[in-house]
Every structure is written in C-alpha cells, then in structure tokens.
C-alpha cells in the first residue's frame, strides 16, 4: 500500500516508541505531534513563572462569572466523559481488572477513545485554574503540588491517548472524571457568594476523596502488573508509580490543612 502524506508526516517525528502509536488516534487534534504538547506545556510553565509578576502590578480580580462558567463547563464535560466510559465499557463487557487495548474500530471502542481524547483536552482546560489563581492573587494556592499536578497529568494523558486510548485506561479515567464532577461542582458553588457558604461544609472531604482516588488507582495498577495483564506492560507500572507522589503530597496537604488546626485548637 502506498504511503499517504499523513503517514510520511507522522514518521518524520523522532521520539521513543513512535512506531507503536495507536493508528486510531494518531492524527487526532493535538495528538499527532509531540511538539504540540511541548509547546502547550512550555506556555503553561511560563505563565506560572511570569504570570504572578505581571498580575501583581494590578488589583486582584474577582472573576466570579468566568469562574462559575468554567467550573460548570468542567462539571458537564467530566460528567459526559464518565458516562460515556461507563456505558461503552459495559456494552463491550470490559473487564475492570485487565482489559487489553484492542485496535478495533467498533462504535463502542471508538466512543471510549473519543471520551479519553476529551479527557485529555480537559487537562488543557484545567490550565485555566492556574490562570484564575494568578489573576485573583491567590498565591498560596499556586503551590508546587498544584503546578506539578496540572503539568504532569497533561503530559501523561497525551502518552495514553497516543499509545493506549482504549482498554484498561477507562478505569482510572472514569474514576478521575467522577471526582472532577464533584470537585468542579464545589468550585461552581463556592463563587456564588456568602449565601452558599453554609452548604459547603464538605470541602475537607474533597481532598479525602482525591486521596481515596489515588489509593484505588495505585492498587488497581499494582494488580494489573502482578497478573501480567496484556494492557500497557510498559506504561502501567509507570502510571502506578505516578500515584505515589500524589498520595504523599495530597496526604501532607490534608494533614496540614485539616488535621493540625483541629489538634492545635483542642490543646489551647
């Protein structure tokens, strides 16, 4: 079969495992070239580095309407991703424990790939969280944990949509999108003003939910490795190890934010 222009273009990129890229998503927007990812990540890190210096010259902005619109959009997008993954994986009778990535163009398989692509795009949309922190002068929230989480998740999602867009990836993606529905739902409510504050007593449980998420994904990735699952033999161990620093950093944040003040208050 003669090579097409797209094939030649794809093969011109030189990066590890390029020949193993999934043919179904190879040419999808922001997937084909590694330079797209590098450029977006560089722009994000430049915003983190120089954005606060620029914003400090001006008064902090409230941005209640943009915050509410962005958070609401993220609720609906993550809800859509979660429902698509759940319904398509059930239709295909996917295994929770081990599901190989099959290069199939069946409608339900492509639904899973498309849902994961939207999940990847949502990680770009989450960069707006950082921009809002900068424009609102929320310097304490612009932590290493925040920047590490957003930048590495974006890069990690590109790796999976590029090489393993279907199969067992649906499990952590479905869990994460469900958590983000709750998280962005909280963000949307929190900007509505003092009248909603009394209904947001469950803020501390968000971090606890994230810790539970990382624990479940770590255990899930471990069992995939132990049973020698065909899915992502070279990526799954990395994905499992990727959860460890999140458990440590989110755990440390949870203790400092919600546990230490309570202990101090009791001793006073």
């Amino acid at each position: 079969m003669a090579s097409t222009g797209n094939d030649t273009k794809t093969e011109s990129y030189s990066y590890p495992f390029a020949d193993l890229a999934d043919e179904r998503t190879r040419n999808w927007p922001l997937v084909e070239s590694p330079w797209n990812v590098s450029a977006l990540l560089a722009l994000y890190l430049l915003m983190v580095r120089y954005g606060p210096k620029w914003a400090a010259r001006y008064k902090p902005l409230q941005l209640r309407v943009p915050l509410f619109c962005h958070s609401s959009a993220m609720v609906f997008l993550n809800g859509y991703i979660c429902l698509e993954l759940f319904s398509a994986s059930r239709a295909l009778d996917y295994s929770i424990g081990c599901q190989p990535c099959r290069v199939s163009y069946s409608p339900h398989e492509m639904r899973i790939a498309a849902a994961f692509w939207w999940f990847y795009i949502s990680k770009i949309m989450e960069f707006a969280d950082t921009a809002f922190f900068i424009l609102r002068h929320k310097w304490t929230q612009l932590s290493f944990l925040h920047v590490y989480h957003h930048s590495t998740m974006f890069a990690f999602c590109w790796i999976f949509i590029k090489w393993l867009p279907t199969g067992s990836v649906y499990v952590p993606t479905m869990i994460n999108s469900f958590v983000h529905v709750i998280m962005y739902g909280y963000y949307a409510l929190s900007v509505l003003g003092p009248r909603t504050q009394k209904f947001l007593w469950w803020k501390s449980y968000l971090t606890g939910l994230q810790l539970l998420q990382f624990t479940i994904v770590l255990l899930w990735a471990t069992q995939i490795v132990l049973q020698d699952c065909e899915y992502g033999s070279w990526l799954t161990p990395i994905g499992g190890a990727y959860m460890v620093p999140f458990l440590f950093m989110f755990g440390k944040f949870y203790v400092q934010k919600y546990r230490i003040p309570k202990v101090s208050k009791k001793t006073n």
Side-chain angles (χ1 to χ4, degrees):
M1 183 181 294
S3 297
T4 64
N6 286 338
D7 291 337
T8 303
K9 185 178 179 182
T10 301
E11 291 171 0
S12 67
Y13 298 119
S14 178
Y15 51 91
F17 307 111
D19 57 317
L20 300 178
D22 194 288
E23 62 187 38
R24 293 168 297 178
T25 60
R26 187 190 297 269
N27 298 318
W28 286 12
L30 298 179
V31 175
E32 180 181 8
S33 170
W35 298 112
N36 292 330
V37 179
S38 300
L40 286 169
L41 192 55
L43 287 172
Y44 174 72
L45 295 175
L46 285 171
M47 177 180 70
V48 171
R49 178 69 176 84
Y50 296 105
K53 294 181 180 180
W54 173 81
R57 302 175 187 174
Y58 307 95
K59 292 181 179 180
L61 302 176
Q62 293 296 320
L63 300 174
R64 286 186 176 179
V65 173
L67 276 167
F68 180 79
C69 291
H70 176 260
S71 297
S72 299
M74 294 301 287
V75 168
F76 286 112
L77 178 57
N78 280 280
Y80 167 77
I81 293 167
C82 187
L83 289 174
E84 276 291 280
L85 291 172
F86 178 78
S87 60
S89 62
R90 292 307 90 207
L92 291 166
D93 197 25
Y94 262 19
S95 167
I96 294 177
C98 173
Q99 182 61 51
C101 178
R102 302 176 298 212
V103 183
S104 167
Y105 288 86
S106 74
H108 292 305
E109 288 279 357
M110 296 308 295
R111 282 175 62 197
I112 289 176
F116 190 74
W117 181 83
W118 277 112
F119 183 73
Y120 164 60
I121 295 300
S122 76
K123 299 309 167 188
I124 303 174
M125 295 173 64
E126 287 178 15
F127 288 167
D129 295 344
T130 308
F132 288 138
F133 287 159
I134 293 172
L135 294 173
R136 297 170 68 211
H137 292 193
K138 301 292 184 179
W139 312 127
T140 56
Q141 292 177 297
L142 199 63
S143 62
F144 172 80
L145 171 58
H146 174 84
V147 175
Y148 174 82
H149 175 65
H150 283 280
S151 57
T152 57
M153 274 297 291
F154 166 61
F156 219 75
C157 285
W158 175 74
I159 291 172
F160 275 92
I161 190 62
K162 180 76 173 178
W163 281 277
L164 296 166
T166 59
S168 281
V169 71
Y170 88 96
V171 174
T173 305
M174 191 164 58
I175 294 172
N176 188 256
S177 58
F178 173 76
V179 170
H180 277 67
V181 168
I182 299 174
M183 185 180 75
Y184 279 103
Y186 173 87
Y187 292 161
L189 292 172
S190 67
V191 299
L192 293 179
R195 288 177 296 180
T196 63
Q197 295 303 312
K198 60 182 179 181
F199 301 110
L200 301 177
W201 51 267
W202 44 278
K203 180 180 180 181
S204 62
Y205 293 99
L206 280 177
T207 306
L209 184 61
Q210 288 175 312
L211 285 169
L212 178 62
Q213 171 195 197
F214 299 136
T215 302
I216 291 173
V217 173
L218 175 59
L219 294 174
W220 171 83
T222 300
Q223 64 86 28
I224 278 189
V225 174
L226 291 178
Q227 66 173 309
D228 198 24
C229 179
E230 293 180 29
Y231 176 82
S233 58
W234 59 287
L235 269 179
T236 304
I238 298 174
Y242 179 63
M243 294 296 106
V244 175
F246 280 128
L247 274 170
F248 174 77
M249 288 187 287
F250 272 88
K252 183 179 179 181
F253 170 80
Y254 182 82
V255 170
Q256 292 177 340
K257 181 79 174 178
Y258 302 111
R259 292 303 178 189
I260 291 178
K262 290 182 180 181
V263 173
S264 300
K265 191 177 284 188
K266 288 180 181 179
T267 56
N268 289 339

